[in-house]
Amino acid sequence: MTATLTEAPPTAPPDGDPPRRRGRLTPYWLLLPGILWLLVFFALPMIYQASTSVQTGSLEEGYEVTWHVATYWDALSAYWPQFLRSVAYAAAATVLCLLLGYPLAYLIAFRAGRWRNLIMVLVIAPFFTSFLIRTLAWKTILADGGPVVGALNTLHVLDVTSWLGWTAGDRVLATPLAVVCGLTYNFLPFMILPLYTSLERIDGRLHEAAGDLYARPFTTFRKVTFPLSLPGVVSGTLLTFIPATGDYVNADLLGSTDTRMVGNVIQTQFLRVLDYPTAAALSFILMAAILIMVTLYIRKSGTEDLV
């Protein structure tokens, strides 16, 4: 006789969801706090501002949603110089941050040795000081009659910058150069850190291989180092350009009425003029402009997948 084997009947799952189902839901439960945070502090305020931008009325009589989309065109027509100025200042500061930050990031990644941690601390140290205090310090650095302005006058640098329209006469404060210097200083760490992260990942053996193939140092940098660090360049430029475009503190403290950026206009419309629809419309126009420029920049650089 042959014995027949019978399978045991499946046991009933324990109370609650099966383990496999609970495992599938775990990532969503982990994402829930972040989703709620974005919903409460980003999505809902955005919806509120969007409704504000199409309202009409006054603060005394109250505002009402009338879908007055002409506010966008009126705001852009009235303040387009500030928009262009914001983009120009932010672009100039981003280029300066890249020119200053790349050599320093390269030094930290490949040449710093045992001084690497100390240099990294010095790069991050400004974050321990208030953004406002750091900007106010530049008023002392660039003060009329100070050593910096005196040195620039001695070297006749201010003659060139005045001819270019960056400064006015023998002073630097209340000029475009002062605003760009403040933006560059305040956002320089945002450029250095992504660059260092990208450069630090490069295998040093690639440089040795380039040297074995008789590549000169500049050729090695152009063919090996810079292409591999391009994700860091893109990340750093985005982290610098985006907040610099909407900044208003540097233009307010280091500039003048002729150097006002769109952030200053938005602040004034919200807090002084109390024209909330115009301020909200300006905010959305700025956000849309940045989104378009960033999208085109990422596609042009070929780094849609930032790693």
Side-chain angles (χ1 to χ4, degrees):
M1 295 179 64
T2 58
T4 58
L5 299 177
T6 59
E7 296 182 356
T11 58
D15 294 337
D17 294 335
R20 184 175 298 177
R21 183 179 177 185
R22 289 201 302 267
R24 288 198 301 265
L25 294 178
T26 299
Y28 298 99
W29 285 111
L30 294 175
L31 288 174
L32 185 60
I35 294 174
L36 291 176
W37 178 275
L38 291 175
L39 180 64
V40 174
F41 296 104
F42 181 77
L44 294 181
M46 288 284 290
I47 296 173
Y48 176 77
Q49 290 299 323
S51 65
T52 302
S53 67
V54 292
Q55 293 178 358
T56 55
S58 63
L59 188 63
E60 294 79 9
E61 300 176 357
Y63 289 101
E64 182 181 357
V65 177
T66 57
W67 302 104
H68 189 259
V69 294
T71 305
Y72 285 86
W73 175 252
D74 295 338
L76 186 60
S77 301
Y79 300 108
W80 66 266
Q82 285 80 2
F83 272 100
L84 295 181
R85 192 178 297 129
S86 298
V87 174
Y89 289 176
T94 302
V95 172
L96 288 175
C97 285
L98 181 60
L99 295 176
L100 295 173
Y102 200 103
L104 181 56
Y106 185 93
L107 172 68
I108 299 173
F110 299 119
R111 298 288 187 268
R114 61 194 179 114
W115 301 102
R116 175 180 299 180
N117 293 334
L118 176 60
I119 299 176
M120 287 298 297
V121 170
L122 294 177
V123 170
I124 302 173
F127 287 120
F128 293 96
T129 307
S130 170
F131 186 92
L132 183 62
I133 294 176
R134 283 184 277 143
T135 306
L136 285 172
W138 275 88
K139 297 193 71 170
T140 304
I141 296 173
L142 301 177
D144 300 341
V148 174
V149 176
L152 294 177
N153 269 321
T154 302
L155 298 174
H156 300 286
V157 174
L158 293 185
D159 295 336
V160 179
T161 55
S162 297
W163 178 74
L164 294 173
W166 296 348
T167 57
D170 295 336
R171 67 191 318 259
V172 178
L173 277 179
T175 64
L177 181 61
V179 178
V180 173
C181 286
L183 291 172
T184 302
Y185 169 75
N186 281 305
F187 295 109
L188 183 60
F190 293 99
M191 178 69 73
I192 295 176
L193 295 177
L195 286 173
Y196 164 73
T197 302
S198 184
L199 288 168
E200 197 267 340
R201 286 199 231 169
I202 299 177
D203 193 342
R205 291 174 294 183
L206 295 175
H207 294 160
E208 297 176 1
D212 293 339
L213 295 174
Y214 303 101
R216 295 183 178 181
F218 180 75
T219 304
T220 302
F221 173 79
R222 185 169 58 89
K223 295 288 187 178
V224 178
T225 306
F226 186 76
L228 292 177
S229 66
L230 191 58
V233 173
V234 175
S235 300
T237 51
L238 292 180
L239 289 175
T240 304
F241 178 79
I242 293 174
T245 306
D247 181 76
Y248 67 92
V249 175
N250 289 275
D252 191 28
L253 298 179
L254 303 178
S256 64
T257 55
D258 296 329
T259 60
R260 282 167 56 86
M261 300 171 64
V262 67
N264 301 102
V265 178
I266 294 173
Q267 180 209 23
T268 302
Q269 294 293 324
F270 263 125
L271 302 180
R272 298 180 186 177
V273 182
L274 304 180
D275 186 356
Y276 299 145
T278 300
L282 287 171
S283 301
F284 271 93
I285 294 173
L286 177 63
M287 182 181 65
I290 292 177
L291 183 61
I292 293 172
M293 287 186 290
V294 167
T295 302
L296 294 176
Y297 172 66
I298 292 178
R299 290 189 175 182
K300 185 68 176 179
S301 61
T303 52
E304 290 88 348
D305 184 18
L306 294 178
V307 294

